[in-house]
Structure formats: structure tokens, C-alpha cells
Amino acid sequence: MQAMNKILVGLIFGLVLGALDGATAWFTPAVRSMMTSIMIGSSVKGMVVGILAGWYARRVQSTAKGIAVGAALGLLFAFLVAAMPSENGQHYYLEIMLPGFVVGAIIGFLTQRMGTPAEVTRK
């Protein structure tokens, strides 16, 4: 069995953790009617963060920097989503940005620790 590269690891973990992040919207009763779109959006957001964190992990082999980059990417994309008002006109900054930050940090950690690094080519 061939090992997965870091970008694929980020994509897979981003999808799974993004869906889990979206599922936490259930704890906000005002948005329960939008669960399907929230879970799809969170999954896509997680995959994008995973791909970018995986790409970074291929270039920089530092767990601390990987966690920081993943957390920053998660926070950035969560902010972009939170800045859009929901159907009831409210913004849920804390409810969206806190899980996005945590999920991004976890993805940053996993992409650093798992998957195969890029091959080094010598000229």
C-alpha cells in the first residue's frame, strides 16, 4: 500500500473535520433549518484549508508552523463565512470562528505529522 501525500491527507481530514465542524451548528437552534447547507459549506471550507495546509506541510517541515498556518487559515475562512449574515440577519462570529480555528489547527498538525513529504530533487 502506498502512503498518501500531505495534500491528500489534508483534503481527507479537512473533509471529515469540516463536516464535524458543520455538525456543531446543531447547538445553535436558530440555524437548525440550514443544517444541510452548513455541513456542505463547512466540508468545502475544511477541504480548502486541508489542501492549503498540506501544500504548506510539503514545503515546511515544522509542526509548530504547520499548526499556526492551519489555525490562521481556518480562522480566515471561518471569518469569511461568519461575515455573511444568516437567513435571520444575525452574524455568528464566535460560533463559526472558534470551531474553524480549532479545526484548522488540527488539520495543520495532521498534515505535518502524516503523509509523505515532497521528494527532494537535486540539480
Side-chain angles (χ1 to χ4, degrees), residues 9-76:
V9 167
L11 177 76
I12 292 169
F13 280 112
L15 173 65
V16 172
L17 292 173
L20 186 62
D21 174 16
T24 63
W26 179 259
F27 299 109
T28 306
V31 297
R32 284 187 184 162
S33 63
M34 301 178 281
M35 284 299 294
T36 303
S37 60
I38 290 170
M39 288 195 58
I40 291 170
S42 292
S43 297
V44 170
K45 180 179 65 166
M47 288 190 306
V48 171
V49 170
I51 290 169
L52 293 172
W55 176 82
Y56 183 79
R58 289 185 73 173
R59 309 249 174 310
V60 178
Q61 282 75 43
S62 167
T63 303
K65 289 179 182 178
I67 292 170
V69 167
L73 288 169
L75 193 62
L76 171 67

Side-chain angles (χ1 to χ4, degrees), residues 2-7 9 58 114-119:
Q2 186 178 5
M4 292 186 289
N5 70 39
K6 291 185 178 288
I7 295 173
V9 167
R58 289 185 73 173
M114 300 179 76
T116 56
E119 292 181 23

